[in-house]
Amino acid sequence: MRPAPFATMAAFSFTVAALSACSVKPVAIDDVTIDQRASSDWQTAFGNQQPVTGPIDLNEAIARAIAYNMDNRLKLMEAVVANRNLSLSRWDMLPEIAASAGYHHRNKQHFASSEDVNSNQSLAQSTSLDKTYSTAGLELSWNVLDFGINYLSAKQAADGVMIAIERQRKLMHNVIMDVEYAFWMAAAAQRAQSQLPELITQTRRALEKSRQSAERGLRQTEASLSYRRELLDLMQQLLALEGDMHNAKMELAALMGLPPGTAFTVSATPSDVLRSPFAEMSVLELEQYSLRNRPELLEEDYRQRIAATEIRKACLQLLPGLELRTGYFYDDNSFLLYNDWAESSLRLTWDLLGTVVAGRDLVGYARDNERLGDVRRAALTVAVLTQVDLAFSHVKRAELNHSYALEMSQLDQALANQSRARWQSSQGTELESIHASTQALLSSVQRDVSYADWRSANGRLSNAVGFQPEFYIDYRQPLEAIEQQVADLRSQSAGMELLPTGGYNPQGVELREAEIREDGEAAAHW
């Protein structure tokens, strides 16, 4: 007797599955895959960038950060994913349409008998089912309660998109603030670099002369030892300064998204002078502006909407669910009078136990979450106001510190010139000349650092109040277009009329959402 086709197929499938399960074992990633991943990651991070063709000014540095900064691109990609989640949640509101098909086979005929109420066999054994038959169907189902819950979930997903955009706006604030500080630190390093190597060489030469004199026993006095110690102290200061200068350019390169090791110079032009839109504003006005424009507070506003929607979802879950079903079915069983038919049903379900026992806690939990958001937003408000006050006072201190550093640099430079002249005329010592030149260099660097700190203080104040018009620049444009828009915005940044659009701008946020929705891939691959 030949085995039934279904039994043969089942035995074969079980054998294949068992053998496949036994053959699974750990496999290490091979070198080719690792090389491909490394190459792909490098291309993602640094590919499709316009090369550096000349000195980089502040506008180009900010434009490159907008276009190429990896942290910014990561936040953009998170916004793309949030937008994709919104698109998926919209489909959950549609009815479910399920197509089905089946093949059925049994090795024995489906015979059955029946009994009457007296337990007597009422009919001879019979069948109404073929040994082999096929079925098919197309069914549409729609749950009204699920539709309402999914609709509210879609609204929450839409608010999640806006939260992702506000997080990206916050990151953009921080990146541009860091770029400006790093740019001026790199400019300070570049100016110091023209004097630093010569001064280090002169100090090393003087130190070597002192060592040679000590070896010959010519100068073994306490004064000679103090002389060498001062030279070593100056050398340490110069080497530390050289390291700081190198780190400043590396930090700026990382913020701009340049590949490691890229050689570039910065150009601090007169157009980069400090312009602040907050010069005539009081602390109270700045505080009110920050409460309207800080990304963190806007994020909490969206979270409050999500929490309020969650309360409505909790209330909906306490209602009965109405499910509508309709479909068209087919069965080729030869005993059926009609092999195809349409069928519809209406079903009402209500989770009584969940409504009575857990309903109150479910709604209470949602309301407590909403109140938690209110308290969190209030705490964040206090933190924002504190940041504004600290940033405002820091601007005043940084401006005063820069004026003193500028005067100090001028004095030290004059002293260095006089000391060099005395040494060249044999009226002074080389140590005095080196010490004065080193102090002049350190003072000039301190002057530039104080200016960078002043610029950073103004950027920190802009960040504290939520003012960043560069966020609304379309990141998909060519670098030259972004740079021109940055230049235009920065040249207008002293105007009070730019304040309303420099912070939270509903039209600008909606435009950014449209850009992400239209060209999501650009957020990851420029």
Side-chain angles (χ1 to χ4, degrees), residues 17-200:
L19 293 176
S20 300
C22 296
S23 64
V24 175
K25 60 181 181 180
V27 178
I29 299 177
D30 58 89
D31 294 338
V32 175
T33 303
I34 294 176
D35 292 340
Q36 291 176 348
R37 186 263 304 160
S39 177
S40 175
D41 290 348
W42 180 275
Q43 182 66 23
T44 300
F46 305 114
N48 301 324
Q49 287 192 20
Q50 293 193 19
V52 177
T53 57
I56 297 176
D57 60 11
L58 183 57
N59 295 329
E60 183 180 351
I62 294 176
R64 285 184 174 274
I66 292 174
Y68 305 133
N69 182 269
M70 281 305 301
D71 292 331
N72 183 40
R73 291 163 68 177
L74 175 61
K75 289 298 180 183
L76 281 170
M77 198 64 222
E78 290 177 357
V80 169
V81 173
N83 209 313
R84 189 69 67 184
N85 181 54
L86 172 60
S87 299
L88 290 175
S89 64
R90 293 193 185 106
W91 292 106
D92 292 337
M93 292 184 286
L94 298 178
E96 295 182 3
I97 301 178
S100 61
Y103 173 81
H104 307 268
H105 174 82
R106 53 189 301 145
N107 63 340
K108 295 181 180 180
Q109 192 69 47
H110 182 264
F111 288 111
S113 61
S114 60
E115 293 182 349
D116 57 18
V117 294
N118 297 318
S119 300
N120 297 320
Q121 184 173 343
S122 59
L123 295 173
Q125 293 182 350
S126 61
T127 183
S128 60
L129 190 66
D130 292 332
K131 292 178 62 177
T132 301
Y133 64 96
S134 301
T135 59
L138 184 65
E139 185 178 22
L140 183 145
S141 62
W142 190 47
N143 191 300
V144 179
L145 181 60
D146 288 345
F147 167 78
I149 293 176
N150 291 332
Y151 171 75
L152 295 178
S153 297
K155 291 177 68 68
Q156 291 177 317
D159 288 331
V161 174
M162 308 313 291
I163 287 176
I165 292 176
E166 288 302 316
R167 287 177 177 175
Q168 197 255 330
R169 186 164 76 96
K170 175 185 175 182
L171 179 108
M172 180 65 71
H173 286 199
N174 295 331
V175 167
I176 293 179
M177 180 182 67
D178 293 341
V179 165
E180 187 163 2
Y181 179 74
F183 175 85
W184 289 107
M185 287 295 293
Q190 192 168 282
R191 279 191 289 269
Q193 197 67 34
S194 61
Q195 308 174 43
L196 191 58
E198 181 181 355
L199 191 56
I200 290 178

Side-chain angles (χ1 to χ4, degrees), residues 118-412:
N118 297 318
S119 300
N120 297 320
Q121 184 173 343
S122 59
L123 295 173
Q125 293 182 350
S126 61
T127 183
S128 60
L129 190 66
D130 292 332
K131 292 178 62 177
T132 301
Y133 64 96
S134 301
T135 59
L138 184 65
E139 185 178 22
L140 183 145
S141 62
W142 190 47
N143 191 300
V144 179
L145 181 60
D146 288 345
F147 167 78
I149 293 176
N150 291 332
Y151 171 75
L152 295 178
S153 297
K155 291 177 68 68
Q156 291 177 317
D159 288 331
V161 174
M162 308 313 291
I163 287 176
I165 292 176
E166 288 302 316
R167 287 177 177 175
Q168 197 255 330
R169 186 164 76 96
K170 175 185 175 182
L171 179 108
M172 180 65 71
H173 286 199
N174 295 331
V175 167
I176 293 179
M177 180 182 67
D178 293 341
V179 165
E180 187 163 2
Y181 179 74
F183 175 85
W184 289 107
M185 287 295 293
Q190 192 168 282
R191 279 191 289 269
Q193 197 67 34
S194 61
Q195 308 174 43
L196 191 58
E198 181 181 355
L199 191 56
I200 290 178
T201 301
Q202 185 181 0
T203 305
R204 284 176 175 168
R205 186 168 55 247
L207 184 60
E208 185 61 28
K209 288 181 180 178
S210 175
R211 286 172 178 166
Q212 292 175 0
S213 299
E215 290 174 358
R216 291 195 301 267
L218 299 179
R219 300 181 63 183
Q220 292 294 332
T221 63
E222 182 178 353
S224 67
L225 296 176
S226 298
Y227 176 78
R228 289 179 60 192
R229 188 188 186 286
E230 289 185 19
L231 286 175
L232 288 172
D233 184 58
L234 290 176
M235 179 61 71
Q236 287 181 336
Q237 293 183 43
L238 292 173
L239 292 177
L241 180 60
E242 186 179 39
D244 293 341
M245 300 299 98
H246 179 68
N247 293 339
K249 294 194 69 173
M250 290 182 60
E251 182 180 355
L252 179 60
L255 290 169
M256 293 189 299
L258 293 178
T262 301
F264 69 95
T265 59
V266 297
S267 172
T269 63
S271 62
D272 293 328
V273 296
L274 182 61
R275 297 185 179 92
S276 174
F278 312 109
E280 305 299 327
M281 296 181 68
S282 66
V283 176
L284 181 60
E285 290 174 324
L286 291 173
E287 289 175 349
Q288 294 301 316
Y289 188 84
S290 67
L291 294 180
R292 290 178 49 84
N293 294 281
R294 276 293 289 267
E296 297 93 329
L297 294 176
L298 270 297
E299 179 181 341
E300 289 300 325
D301 289 339
Y302 290 120
R303 288 187 179 278
Q304 184 184 38
R305 293 204 314 201
I306 291 176
T309 304
E310 190 66 29
I311 294 176
R312 292 194 289 272
K313 284 176 60 176
C315 293
L316 272 182
Q317 291 176 2
L318 303 181
L319 300 178
L322 180 64
E323 185 177 28
L324 308 175
R325 287 183 176 272
T326 184
Y328 190 80
F329 304 94
Y330 172 80
D331 191 330
D332 67 355
N333 184 14
S334 62
F335 293 95
L336 294 175
L337 180 60
Y338 302 105
N339 293 99
D340 60 319
W341 68 95
E343 181 178 321
S344 299
S345 64
L346 182 64
R347 184 180 181 186
L348 184 68
T349 59
W350 195 1
D351 184 7
L352 296 177
L353 184 61
T355 302
V356 174
V357 177
R360 183 176 179 180
D361 290 337
L362 186 64
V363 176
Y365 175 76
R367 293 189 184 277
D368 288 343
N369 263 334
E370 186 181 36
R371 286 191 286 268
L372 174 62
D374 294 337
V375 176
R376 184 173 57 240
R377 188 175 60 255
L380 187 58
T381 298
V382 174
V384 167
L385 295 178
T386 302
Q387 289 177 8
V388 171
D389 291 345
L390 291 174
F392 184 78
S393 62
H394 188 197
V395 169
K396 301 300 182 183
R397 291 196 309 271
E399 183 178 6
L400 184 62
N401 183 52
H402 175 62
S403 65
Y404 289 144
L406 181 61
E407 185 177 0
M408 181 70 74
S409 175
Q410 294 170 351
L411 291 175
D412 285 338

